[in-house]
Amino acid sequence: MGEADGLRQRRRVQPQVAADGGRTPEARDGSSFSGRVFRVTFLMLAVSLIVPLLGAIMLLDSPIDPQPLSFKEPPLLLGVLQPNTKLRKAERLFENQLVGPESIANIGDVMFTGTLDGRVIKFESGEVETIARFGSGPCKTQDDEPACGRPLGIRAGPNGTLFVADAYKGLFEVNPWKREVKLLLSSDTPIEGRKMSFVNDLTITRDGRKIYFTDSSSKWQRRDYLLLVMEGTDDGRLLEYDTETKEVKVLLDQLRFPNGVQLSPAEDFVLVAETTMARIRRFYVSGLMKGGADLFVENLPGFPDNIRPSSSGGYWVGMSAIRSNPGFSMLDFLSERPYIKRMIFKLFSQETVMKFMPRYSLVLELSDSGAVRRSLHDPDGQVVTYVSEVHEHGRYLYLGSFRAPFLCRLSLQSV
């Protein structure tokens, strides 16, 4: 054998070099097999953990039993609804001296409101003073509310007194100058066989005889308002209380979270915000239409809270939450998906869910026929948050809130 033949022979017996990362085909096959084993093992482990977890979640009781609700597509935020920053021109008053000034009334230039800790307070000369309490207790958490009381709707009466709706205690008349409190109607009083669990807002006739008020639910209390909205419970009522005869009448029933109420200037009808349905109903209390009801405005760009008169002859409406369009409205999305609502409240508390709600603040002024005249916005809630009411007095709008630790004041000249 020649030298050249020997070299060729030696080349033929040299080891093969792997072209794929230095691995031989046998190594690649082993690595691929090991990867498949790992993935299958991981998947089996994940399934073994997730399936029991889902089973446990399914066994948990949901605090709500929601039914599907149907909404129209929210109105586009264009034209008179075009987003702006007019609410950011407001100033915060009495910051961290109160929490949750839900509703506002004035007698002369003295302002009054009710707070989350169960107080009725007055503002005078820059000072905050407690004038009444309807309950007692530490009043530090939502669980304390039934004992402490929660003043919501508040109105000035014709004789220099205040009329107040307390969510847990009922209807009261308060003399703010003498600190005298008179119970008019207890929440413990059954109305047509049903208790009042969530007395909310009220409006009174000019002579002080008739009080129209809402009981938002027979099932849910104020501290569970988010459960009331999410369940879509239709057990709310609009009622009438006669201060002379002490008689109570049910005017409208089967409402989904009836909230703010307002008598018309002619006192021929009462407006009632049906919060869950993003609309305002109208009930006629006098005239040819007496006893009848219709829709004053529907498909609002948010979920209405209190309604109060505007100096132009229309109405101010505070929106507790917005229905973004364009954008995403969580409440609209969930309305036809009750199974998701059940799952959410199996896993999370109301306070946790509230953290996912947009802090967009919106106020509407409606005409006397329900058309939107103008809208005031704070898109990020930088200054104004969780608007519950707009109370017009003098040159200002006073903005109530069901959660904020302050009251806001906005000059009408700036909007």
Side-chain angles (χ1 to χ4, degrees):
M1 180 171 59
E3 186 177 350
D5 293 335
L7 288 172
R8 284 194 294 271
Q9 182 68 25
R10 284 195 293 272
R11 289 192 186 104
R12 282 197 295 269
V13 298
Q14 284 182 348
Q16 293 182 346
V17 177
D20 184 12
R23 291 182 295 170
T24 64
E26 292 82 359
R28 289 199 302 273
D29 291 343
S31 175
S32 178
F33 175 75
S34 299
R36 287 197 298 270
V37 170
F38 174 78
R39 288 193 294 272
V40 170
T41 303
F42 179 79
L43 182 60
M44 291 179 65
L45 180 61
V47 170
S48 67
L49 293 174
I50 292 173
V51 170
L53 179 61
L54 290 176
I57 292 174
M58 294 302 293
L59 291 174
L60 290 175
D61 289 330
S62 174
I64 60 174
D65 183 24
Q67 302 301 315
L69 299 175
S70 179
F71 289 93
K72 295 179 180 179
E73 180 181 346
L76 289 169
L77 296 183
L78 299 173
V80 72
L81 294 174
Q82 182 73 37
N84 55 61
T85 57
K86 292 180 178 180
L87 287 181
R88 291 182 188 168
K89 298 177 183 178
E91 58 180 324
R92 291 180 174 181
L93 306 177
F94 310 106
E95 192 160 9
N96 297 320
Q97 297 183 54
L98 50 82
V99 179
E102 166 88 12
S103 181
I104 305 150
N106 68 280
I107 299 176
D109 289 329
V110 182
M111 311 294 292
F112 302 89
T113 190
T115 57
L116 195 60
D117 58 1
R119 297 181 296 156
V120 177
I121 61 177
K122 76 170 183 177
F123 312 111
E124 188 174 17
S125 302
E127 299 293 325
V128 176
E129 183 180 350
T130 300
I131 61 169
R133 283 185 180 272
F134 306 133
S136 61
C139 307
K140 294 181 179 179
T141 69
Q142 282 191 331
D143 292 335
D144 298 326
E145 281 192 11
C148 293
R150 175 52 165 118
L152 295 177
I154 185 169
R155 301 280 187 161
N159 300 314
T161 60
L162 300 171
F163 290 88
V164 185
D166 186 284
Y168 300 91
K169 306 299 183 180
L171 301 180
F172 292 84
E173 185 175 8
V174 177
N175 186 319
W177 322 114
K178 297 181 179 180
R179 308 293 195 271
E180 295 175 348
V181 175
K182 179 182 178 182
L183 176 63
L184 301 177
L185 179 66
S186 170
S187 291
D188 294 330
T189 304
I191 308 300
E192 295 188 3
R194 285 164 50 193
K195 63 181 180 180
M196 296 186 292
S197 294
F198 187 171
V199 179
N200 198 323
D201 194 24
L202 77 170
T203 184
I204 61 174
T205 54
R206 279 186 287 271
D207 60 8
R209 175 167 179 174
K210 298 288 184 69
I211 301 176
Y212 300 97
F213 69 101
T214 47
D215 175 31
S216 296
S217 178
S218 300
K219 176 181 179 181
W220 299 106
Q221 294 182 319
R222 195 219 75 93
R223 57 180 173 170
D224 296 318
Y225 67 88
L226 190 55
L227 299 181
L228 169 58
V229 172
M230 288 296 189
E231 186 174 69
T233 317
D234 62 347
D235 64 346
R237 297 177 290 181
L238 172 67
L239 304 105
E240 174 191 281
Y241 175 74
D242 190 311
T243 58
E244 291 187 5
T245 66
K246 317 302 181 187
E247 183 182 7
V248 183
K249 296 179 182 178
V250 176
L251 304 182
L252 284 176
D253 201 349
Q254 296 183 317
L255 301 176
R256 288 186 165 90
F257 199 168
N259 201 331
V261 286
Q262 178 60 48
L263 263 169
S264 67
E267 298 192 348
D268 57 339
F269 62 80
V270 177
L271 299 179
V272 53
E274 195 174 10
T275 299
T276 300
M277 302 306 295
R279 64 191 181 192
I280 297 175
R281 288 178 176 254
R282 174 168 49 190
F283 182 85
Y284 294 89
V285 294
S286 66
L288 295 176
M289 296 285 289
K290 183 177 180 178
D294 58 17
L295 283 177
F296 183 68
V297 60
E298 61 178 334
N299 199 34
L300 288 165
F303 297 91
D305 201 326
N306 285 351
I307 309 168
R308 293 298 185 264
S310 74
S311 57
S312 64
Y315 305 94
W316 291 109
V317 184
M319 294 291 164
S320 57
I322 192 172
R323 303 170 66 211
S324 299
N325 189 15
F328 175 74
S329 170
M330 184 175 74
L331 293 178
D332 281 76
F333 173 78
L334 293 174
S335 63
E336 296 183 357
R337 297 168 176 85
Y339 56 93
I340 299 181
K341 291 183 183 180
R342 290 190 190 94
M343 188 69 69
I344 288 172
F345 286 99
K346 284 182 179 184
L347 299 174
F348 303 107
S349 67
Q350 293 182 75
E351 195 62 31
T352 299
V353 174
M354 278 298 297
K355 294 177 181 178
F356 292 94
M357 301 294 289
R359 290 171 63 87
Y360 199 117
S361 296
L362 175 63
V363 165
L364 300 182
E365 184 182 13
L366 305 180
S367 71
D368 57 1
S369 62
V372 178
R373 278 184 173 159
R374 56 177 159 172
S375 63
L376 314 177
H377 304 241
D378 185 348
D380 303 312
Q382 291 185 14
V383 177
V384 178
T385 59
Y386 306 112
V387 180
S388 58
E389 179 178 300
V390 183
H391 177 80
E392 184 175 343
H393 175 59
R395 297 179 292 110
Y396 295 99
L397 299 179
Y398 293 85
L399 308 172
S401 173
F402 57 94
R403 285 172 64 92
F406 49 78
L407 183 72
C408 282
R409 183 174 68 180
L410 178 64
S411 171
L412 278 167
Q413 293 180 346
S414 67
V415 297

